[in-house]
Amino acid sequence: MGESAVTAAVLVIGDEVLSGRTPDSNTHYIANYLGQIGVDLREARVVPDVESEIVAAVNALRGRYTYVFTTGGIGPTHDDITADAIARAFGVDIDEDPRALAMLRERFAEADLNPARRRMARIPKGAALVPNAVSKAPGFWIGNVIVMAGVPSVMHAMLDTVGPQLQTGRRVLVESVAAGAIPEGAYAAGLETIVRACDAVSIGSYPSFTSEGVRNQIVLRSRDATALAQAVAQVRLLIDELASHAGQR
Amino acid sequence: MGESAVTAAVLVIGDEVLSGRTPDSNTHYIANYLGQIGVDLREARVVPDVESEIVAAVNALRGRYTYVFTTGGIGPTHDDITADAIARAFGVDIDEDPRALAMLRERFAEADLNPARRRMARIPKGAALVPNAVSKAPGFWIGNVIVMAGVPSVMHAMLDTVGPQLQTGRRVLVESVAAGAIPEGAYAAGLETIVRACDAVSIGSYPSFTSEGVRNQIVLRSRDATALAQAVAQVRLLIDELASHAGQR
C-alpha cells in the first residue's frame, strides 16, 4: 500500500476492559478518526491499571510510532494513575500544574477543589495541555504521546482538539467489493494473483456469517487512486466471472 | 486482589480492526469468558496482518502469561498468515496436517478442495487441533498459544471446545455499588482509605455521562467472598453518608 510517514498506536489503560466489565469502543473510534486524516493506526494494546505495565507499554510504543494515544486513568480516584505513569515513562517530574488548576476552577468552586480533584491537575513537566470541553480536567501531550480520558464523550472532544495539530499523511482510499455468497475458497487463488500484481493496494477478504449464509466482502485500500481503481476493476471481474459460473451450474 | 496462578493475553490479528473497518468484539467476549472460569486476562493487543508483527507479539505474550488466545487470520485467502506466523514464532515446521484435511473433507467435496482451501489444513508441527463446529476449518493449540478464528460465531464455538481443557483459577467475585450522581471527586478520598485497608479487594471507580448527568459506579472485585462483602459494606456506608449530606444541603 506504500509507506506512510505518519503512524500511530492506541494504548487503552483500564482494568475494566480486561475484566470484561466494559467493552472498549475507544480504539475503534480512534482508528476511524485517524484513518480520515491519513494517520495509520498500526497497533493497539490494553493494559491494566498497573504503573509498571503502563510505563513499559508507553515506552515500547512511543519508540515505534509517530504518535501514541492513550485513553483512561486521568480522573480523581486512586485507580487513576496514568499521569504519574507517563511521567515515569519519560523520566520527568510531575506536579500540580497551574494551567490545569485554572481549568479545574472553571468547574469547581474553591471549597469543592479537594485534594482528589486537585490530583487531576497533576501534569508531567513539559507537557502541553489538551483542554476538556466536557468536564474541564485536561488531557495532555508530551513528546509524541497524547493522553486522553477514557469516557468516550470526553475522549472524542479531546481528539477533536488534538486532531488539527497532528502531522497527517495522504488519506487511505477504501473500496469494497461484495462477494456475496461466493466462498472465499473459490476466489482466493484469483485474488492472490491480483494482490501480487498490485503492490500499491492492500487487499483483505472478510467473511461474515449471516442468517442468510455466508456473505463475503473484499476490501481494497490504497493512497493511489489510479492503482486502487485498477485493482477494484480486476476484483469485480473476478467476482462477476465466478458468479456467472455459479449461475450456470 | 491476591495472585491468580492462571493468566492470559488476547492477540487480535487483523488489518480490519486497525483500519477502523471492523470493531473488535472478540476481546470483550474472551474477557468475559475467561472471567467466568477464573482466568485473569492481563493484556490485549491488536496487530496487523504482518508476519513479523505477529511473531514478535506472540513471543512477547507467551512468555508472560499462562495462555495466549489469538483471533483472526486462519482462512483460505492470501491475508490469512496466522498459522505460518505461529510456526515461525515457535521455530517449528508447518505443513498440511492430515487430521485437519480430514475435517475439511467433512465440508468440501474433493473437487472443491482447491489449494486455497487446503491452506486451511496447514498446521504447525506439534499442535493439537481445535475443531470448528461451524465451518470445519480448525484452529489449533501449540504450547500455551490457542489460535482461533476471527469470525465471532466460529471463535465462540472454538472457545467452548477449549474452555473445559484450560487450567482455571478461583473465580473473581464482582460487586457494584451505584454512586449515582455523587461526583468521583467527592468520594475519592474516602474510597482510597477503603482501598488501602482492603488488600484482597480490587476497587475501581467508573464515571459515565448520561443524558441525566453523571452516573458513577464503584466496582469491587475479589476472590475472597468475606473480604469482598466487608469492602462492599464500607463503600455503601461511604456513599450513603455522602448522599445524605448532599440531601441536607
Side-chain angles (χ1 to χ4, degrees):
Chain A
M1 195 166 68
E3 272 310 292
S4 163
V6 191
T7 61
V10 166
L11 178 62
V12 173
I13 298 163
D15 288 350
E16 69 278 20
V17 172
L18 294 170
S19 72
R21 177 186 176 270
T22 308
D24 162 51
S25 64
N26 288 336
T27 300
H28 184 62
Y29 185 92
I30 297 170
N32 272 312
Y33 189 99
L34 295 180
Q36 303 277 339
I37 60 173
V39 175
D40 285 357
L41 181 61
R42 295 276 175 90
E43 182 171 350
R45 296 192 190 184
V46 186
V47 294
D49 300 327
V50 174
E51 190 176 274
S52 58
E53 296 291 328
I54 302 168
V55 170
V58 164
N59 282 337
L61 297 172
R62 72 188 177 99
R64 291 200 66 191
Y65 305 104
T66 314
Y67 296 113
V68 178
F69 296 86
T70 80
T71 68
I74 63 168
T77 53
H78 66 281
D79 52 341
D80 291 305
I81 61 171
T82 297
D84 284 88
I86 299 286
R88 203 177 120 204
F90 278 85
V92 300
D93 287 338
I94 179 166
D95 207 345
E96 199 170 84
D97 185 307
R99 302 165 302 168
L101 204 56
M103 289 172 173
L104 292 177
R105 286 194 168 112
E106 296 171 24
R107 182 172 159 211
F108 297 110
E110 202 58 34
D112 291 331
L113 208 49
N114 61 26
R117 287 180 173 133
R118 290 182 83 120
R119 251 169 63 84
M120 295 192 285
R122 285 170 61 78
I123 303 288
K125 209 87 175 176
L129 299 189
V130 177
N132 168 351
V134 179
S135 54
K136 298 302 173 189
F140 58 88
W141 181 337
I142 180 168
N144 60 341
V145 178
I146 293 145
V147 174
M148 304 187 294
V151 174
S153 57
V154 180
M155 187 277 281
H156 300 174
M158 289 179 171
L159 201 52
D160 283 337
T161 303
V162 168
Q165 302 170 59
L166 298 172
Q167 292 175 58
T168 55
R170 200 133 53 95
R171 190 177 155 182
V172 175
L173 306 168
V174 184
E175 294 269 3
S176 290
V177 177
I182 301 174
E184 284 193 297
Y187 63 69
L191 191 63
E192 186 162 10
T193 306
I194 298 170
V195 167
R196 292 196 179 183
C198 300
D199 265 0
V201 184
S202 158
I203 304 182
S205 170
Y206 303 110
S208 60
F209 295 180
T210 73
S211 54
E212 283 127 51
V214 173
R215 288 291 175 275
N216 293 326
Q217 243 198 354
I218 298 163
V219 177
L220 303 94
R221 310 177 76 247
S222 181
R223 293 194 156 81
D224 178 336
T226 309
L228 182 64
Q230 285 169 351
V232 167
Q234 289 176 48
V235 171
R236 287 224 171 94
L237 193 64
L238 170 71
I239 295 301
D240 288 349
E241 274 178 12
L242 288 166
S244 70
H245 279 292
Q248 281 164 21
R249 270 191 200 170
Chain B
M1 196 167 66
E3 273 311 292
S4 164
V6 191
T7 62
V10 165
L11 179 61
V12 174
I13 298 163
D15 288 349
E16 69 278 20
V17 172
L18 294 170
S19 73
R21 177 185 177 271
T22 308
D24 163 52
S25 64
N26 287 337
T27 300
H28 184 62
Y29 185 92
I30 298 170
N32 271 312
Y33 188 99
L34 295 179
Q36 303 279 336
I37 61 174
V39 175
D40 285 358
L41 181 61
R42 294 277 175 91
E43 183 171 351
R45 296 192 190 185
V46 186
V47 293
D49 300 326
V50 173
E51 189 175 274
S52 58
E53 296 291 330
I54 302 168
V55 170
V58 165
N59 282 337
L61 297 173
R62 73 187 176 100
R64 290 200 67 192
Y65 305 105
T66 313
Y67 296 114
V68 178
F69 296 86
T70 81
T71 68
I74 63 168
T77 54
H78 65 281
D79 51 342
D80 290 305
I81 62 171
T82 298
D84 284 89
I86 299 287
R88 204 177 121 205
F90 278 86
V92 300
D93 288 337
I94 179 165
D95 208 346
E96 200 170 85
D97 185 307
R99 302 166 302 168
L101 204 56
M103 289 171 174
L104 292 178
R105 286 193 169 113
E106 294 171 25
R107 183 173 157 208
F108 296 111
E110 203 58 34
D112 291 332
L113 208 49
N114 61 26
R117 286 179 174 134
R118 289 182 84 120
R119 251 168 64 82
M120 294 191 286
R122 285 170 62 77
I123 303 288
K125 210 88 175 174
L129 300 189
V130 177
N132 168 354
V134 179
S135 54
K136 298 301 172 189
F140 57 89
W141 181 338
I142 180 167
N144 61 340
V145 178
I146 293 145
V147 174
M148 304 187 292
V151 173
S153 57
V154 180
M155 187 277 280
H156 301 174
M158 289 179 171
L159 201 52
D160 283 337
T161 303
V162 167
Q165 301 170 59
L166 297 172
Q167 293 176 56
T168 54
R170 198 133 54 96
R171 189 175 155 185
V172 175
L173 307 167
V174 185
E175 294 270 2
S176 291
V177 177
I182 301 173
E184 284 193 296
Y187 61 71
L191 191 61
E192 186 163 9
T193 305
I194 298 171
V195 167
R196 294 200 176 178
C198 300
D199 265 0
V201 184
S202 158
I203 303 182
S205 170
Y206 303 109
S208 60
F209 294 1
T210 72
S211 54
E212 283 128 50
V214 172
R215 288 291 175 275
N216 293 325
Q217 242 197 356
I218 298 163
V219 176
L220 302 94
R221 310 175 77 247
S222 181
R223 292 194 156 82
D224 178 335
T226 309
L228 181 64
Q230 286 170 349
V232 167
Q234 290 177 47
V235 171
R236 287 224 171 95
L237 194 64
L238 170 70
I239 295 301
D240 288 349
E241 275 179 10
L242 288 166
S244 70
H245 280 292
Q248 281 165 19
R249 272 190 200 169

